[in-house]
Each structure stands twice: as C-alpha cells, then as structure tokens.
C-alpha cells in the first residue's frame, strides 16, 4: 500500500514536468496569419513554426510539421513582441537614483529590480523593455534589458546619463550645465588615463572601448549637441534618449550616425513635466526618421498606463510611416539595444516572442489576441 501511495505521489509530482517538457519539445505552428516580420517583409497567409522557444521556420509555403500543435490565425496579424526601449518597469521610486553621488556609473539597476514582469504591458503586446535609472544623476548607472515575464535578457546593457535639469536640481553642485559637463569630461579623461579606480573606473573603461553604449537623456537642442560633441571627442557609442528637441537638430544627429529613443510623446509642461521639453512635438519621430536617424520608441513608464503601442500609433498619426513605426518597436528597437540577434524580428533562430493581433497593430483598432514569450502563451483573449 505504501509503495502504491509513493508511486501515486511521484506520478502527481512528475506529470507537470513531463507535460512541460512535452510542450517545449512539440512544434507549434501559427497558420494563416499575415506575418509582419518587423524587418519590412509581409507574408500573406503565412505559417510560422517554433519549437522550444525558438522560431524554426516561416513563410507562405511552410506547412505545419507532423505532430505540431496548430494555432489557426486566419484573419490575424503576427508580429514580433514589441519593445519599449526606455522605461522604469520594476523600479520603485527609491531605487530610481543614487542620492549620495552625482556619478554612479557602476550602479547596476538589475540589482534593484522588484518583479520586472508586467501583465498590463504584456496584454498590450509589449514583451521586452530597457529599464533605465532615473535622470537625477549625471551618470545614473547600468541599465538592464528584461522580458516582461520577468527574465533578464542583458543585465548590464548600457550606461545611462542625464544632461537635463533633473540632474541639475537633484544636487547642490554643480549649478550649471557647463559645470555638469566639465565634471563628466574630467571623468572621461581620467578613465582614458587609467586614473579612475574602482568599479566606476572599470565601467567607464568599457564605455570608452564602446563595449557599453552611453545613453544620454537630453531634450534641448543644446544638450543634444553637447552629447554629440562628447561622443565625437571620446569616440563613444552614443544613444540619445527622449530628445524632445531632436527635430531641431536632426541633421546633426543623422550626420553623427547616432540613434534616438524617442518618447514619451505626451509630457505635461510645468508641474506635469520638465520645462526643457518645450520643443516636443508629436511629429518628432517622423522628423528624425526623415532625416535618416534610426529611431526606437519608448514611454519612460513604470508599467501601468499607456504602453509603447500607443506611442507607435501616435507617431504614425503624425507622419511616421506604418513600416517605420512598426520597426521602431521591433527590429530597430532591438538593433539599438544590441539584442537584434535574438529579438525584434520574426525569423528562423530568433526567440519565439510573437503577438497575434486582430486588426493592424499600428492602429487604434488593433487588439492583441494572443501573446507568446519564449514559446509559451502568456496571454490569450
């Protein structure tokens, strides 16, 4: 009797694991969808096959393999999971910035994440985001890329800095933008001379070699041009964040071949947002794109409320093409974040992060029907 009970208990314990292994090893085919690959290609009435969390095949002439689980998707669109290229998901207010020093380059945001998963954004079709420190520090630390199921894609993805008034107002000194930039230049020079010790020294060394991108939150045209000059002087792998006034200096940004993470589009002036965003226009993304700047979109959000899907819809409504808007939350966003080898495109070998939509995803009537992350359905309507 005891042996029978033990066998029953073991069976009950092991069945879920056997089923999980079975489902991961079983091919899944999405059949009949209009596939928007994220790289500009459109496959009508296509089939996409994934196994074990990776895409293995897609095309109009692909058939579901024998034994595959088939998801019928006729009349639906299939896209890569959307990417919000700048957010604060999983961070509490007390974790946003380092209050003891203006410079906190080696502060790892991954160490402060509190449940980076977000079901609201997942339901909207967003599966991945770059989580940045706040803008209160001149150099705020190392941002992290996470999937919104909670897994970490890259724990040290970039060094995030801020040239705006938020950083100026957070500390007693410096009191001017010139003073702030002088401190940063001196730090970079010391790092060049191997005179900067400790973790910050090692972090800045990676910035100077280009191994770590240097992301600068800059909104006024003057701050943007300052970031471009520093990038040229020190050969930095620069990414501009927000860039509300980017449309006014778009040609300079394009000439420097620097990508921009645009957004959020809707920011209140005065008590609702920084005055330095006065140049913000909803056509900013379109203006930058027309000038030849590679762009991604973001919300700078904490997870609740508007997702980056709405940023793409707004950008399209104000002049950005449908294809460019889709790229700004898929393939271009992934390329800017340095994860284009895994995410942002539907292609063989890529992560099976897939969203099925009723209605075009870059439209006010687009609605998610199923969201898949790493080959597992995490939301179904």
């Amino acid at each position: 009797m005891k042996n029978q009970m033990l066998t029953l208990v073991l069976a009950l314990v092991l069945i879920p694991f056997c089923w999980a292994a079975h489902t991961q090893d079983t091919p899944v085919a999405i059949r009949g969808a209009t596939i928007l690959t994220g790289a500009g290609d459109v496959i009508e009435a296509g089939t996409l096959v994934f196994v074990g969390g990776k895409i293995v095949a897609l095309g109009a002439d692909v058939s579901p393999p024998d034994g595959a689980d088939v998801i019928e998707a006729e009349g639906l669109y299939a896209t890569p999971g959307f990417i919000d290229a700048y957010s604060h998901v999983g961070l509490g207010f007390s974790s946003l910035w380092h209050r003891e020093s203006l410079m906190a380059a080696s502060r790892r945001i991954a160490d402060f994440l509190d449940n980076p998963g977000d079901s609201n954004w997942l339901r909207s079709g967003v599966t991945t985001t770059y989580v940045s420190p706040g803008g209160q520090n001149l150099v705020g630390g190392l941002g992290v890329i996470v999937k919104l199921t909670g897994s970490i894609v890259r724990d040290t993805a970039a060094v995030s800095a801020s040239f705006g008034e938020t950083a100026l107002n957070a500390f007693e000194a410096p009191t001017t933008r010139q003073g702030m930039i002088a401190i940063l230049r001196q730090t970079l020079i010391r790092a060049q001379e191997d005179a900067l010790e400790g973790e910050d020294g090692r972090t800045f060394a990676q910035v100077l070699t280009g191994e770590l991108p240097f992301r600068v939150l800059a909104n006024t045209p003057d701050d943007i041009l300052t970031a471009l000059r520093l990038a040229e002087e020190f050969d930095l792998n620069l990414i501009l964040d927000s860039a509300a006034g980017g449309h006014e200096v778009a040609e300079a940004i394009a000439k420097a071949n620097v990508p921009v993470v645009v957004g959020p589009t809707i920011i209140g002036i005065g008590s609702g947002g920084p005055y330095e965003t006065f140049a913000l226009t909803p056509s900013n993304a379109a203006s930058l794109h027309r000038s030849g700047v590679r762009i991604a979109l973001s919300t700078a959000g904490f997870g609740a409320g508007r997702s980056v899907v709405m940023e793409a819809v707004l950008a399209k409504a104000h002049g950005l093409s449908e294809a460019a808007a889709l790229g700004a939350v898929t393939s271009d966003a992934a390329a800017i974040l340095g994860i284009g080898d895994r995410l942002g495109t539907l292609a063989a070998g890529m992560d099976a992060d897939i969203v099925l939509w009723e209605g075009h995803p870059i439209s006010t009537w687009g609605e998610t029907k199923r969201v898949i992350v790493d080959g597992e359905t995490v939301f179904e309507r």
Side-chain angles (χ1 to χ4, degrees):
M1 183 67 178
K2 287 183 178 179
N3 288 339
Q4 289 177 333
M5 287 297 295
L6 179 60
T7 301
L8 177 60
V9 170
L10 286 173
L12 290 173
V13 170
L14 291 174
I15 281 172
F17 293 98
C18 294
W19 174 247
H22 169 75
T23 54
Q24 277 291 313
D25 292 340
T26 302
V28 179
I30 297 171
R31 180 167 59 189
T34 298
I35 300 173
L36 308 178
T37 66
D41 299 317
V42 179
I43 303 171
E44 301 287 352
T47 296
L48 182 152
V49 181
F50 59 89
V51 182
K54 292 289 185 180
I55 298 171
V56 296
L58 74 161
D61 56 352
V62 171
S63 298
D66 293 341
D69 293 333
V70 178
I71 299 171
E72 298 294 351
E74 185 177 353
L76 302 180
Y77 290 87
T79 70
F82 281 13
I83 299 169
D84 187 327
Y86 181 100
S87 80
H88 304 300
V89 167
L91 290 179
F93 182 76
S94 62
S95 303
L96 273 177
W97 61 294
H98 184 63
R99 288 158 176 76
E100 297 177 6
S101 173
L102 187 68
M103 306 285 281
S106 59
R107 182 174 179 264
R108 286 165 35 100
I109 292 303
D111 296 336
F112 297 90
L113 287 179
D114 179 16
N115 185 24
D118 188 271
S119 59
N120 290 322
W121 277 5
L122 278 172
R123 285 197 295 268
S124 75
V126 182
T127 58
T128 302
T129 186
Y130 172 81
V131 183
S132 174
Q136 290 87 345
N137 296 99
L138 173 56
V139 180
L142 292 155
V144 56
I145 300 171
V146 300
K147 292 194 179 184
L148 291 171
T149 50
S151 64
I152 291 178
V153 177
R154 185 167 295 171
D155 60 359
T156 52
V159 173
S160 285
S162 173
F163 285 7
E165 62 191 51
T166 305
L168 275 175
N169 294 334
F171 294 88
E172 291 184 3
T175 58
T176 65
R177 279 172 160 80
Q178 293 94 326
M180 189 166 62
I181 299 306
I183 291 173
L184 180 57
R185 284 193 76 257
Q186 291 166 7
T187 302
L188 289 167
I189 290 170
R190 289 179 63 203
Q192 278 184 329
E193 297 171 347
D194 293 327
L196 193 63
E197 299 179 349
E199 290 295 325
D200 275 10
R202 285 186 282 274
T203 299
F204 272 109
Q206 290 178 290
V207 169
L208 289 172
T209 62
E211 181 180 347
L212 279 175
F214 193 62
R215 297 185 61 152
V216 174
L217 178 66
N219 281 304
T220 68
D222 285 346
D223 284 344
I224 292 169
L225 293 175
T226 297
L228 295 180
R229 285 192 294 270
L230 278 173
E232 183 178 13
E233 179 180 357
F234 293 97
D235 195 23
L236 305 178
N237 180 8
L238 178 66
I239 299 170
L240 290 170
D241 285 321
S242 188
H247 56 95
E248 296 186 8
V249 288
E251 290 185 7
I253 299 172
K255 183 178 179 181
N257 196 29
V258 169
V260 177
V261 175
V262 181
T265 300
I266 301 173
I267 303 176
I269 303 301
S271 60
Y275 180 72
E276 64 188 19
T277 60
F278 70 96
L280 181 65
T281 168
S283 61
N284 193 28
S287 297
L288 288 164
H289 184 263
R290 278 196 302 270
S291 296
V293 178
R294 190 171 214 172
I295 62 167
L297 297 175
S298 76
T299 61
F302 288 83
R306 184 179 75 254
S307 83
V308 79
V309 179
M310 186 54 66
E311 291 291 331
V313 172
L314 285 169
K316 177 193 168 189
H318 291 275
L320 191 63
S321 71
E322 194 172 81
L326 180 63
V329 290
T330 56
S331 57
D332 286 320
I336 290 171
L337 294 183
I339 53 174
D341 59 336
R342 285 184 55 185
L343 298 166
T345 307
L346 297 181
M350 305 294 278
D351 287 9
D353 290 6
I354 305 157
V355 184
L356 294 179
W357 307 77
E358 185 173 36
H360 196 285
I362 312 297
S363 67
T364 54
W365 59 87
E367 181 180 64
T368 55
K369 302 302 288 183
R370 185 189 293 253
V371 179
I372 298 166
V373 178
D374 292 324
E376 298 287 345
T377 295
V378 295
F379 172 72
E380 186 174 5
R381 199 184 302 273

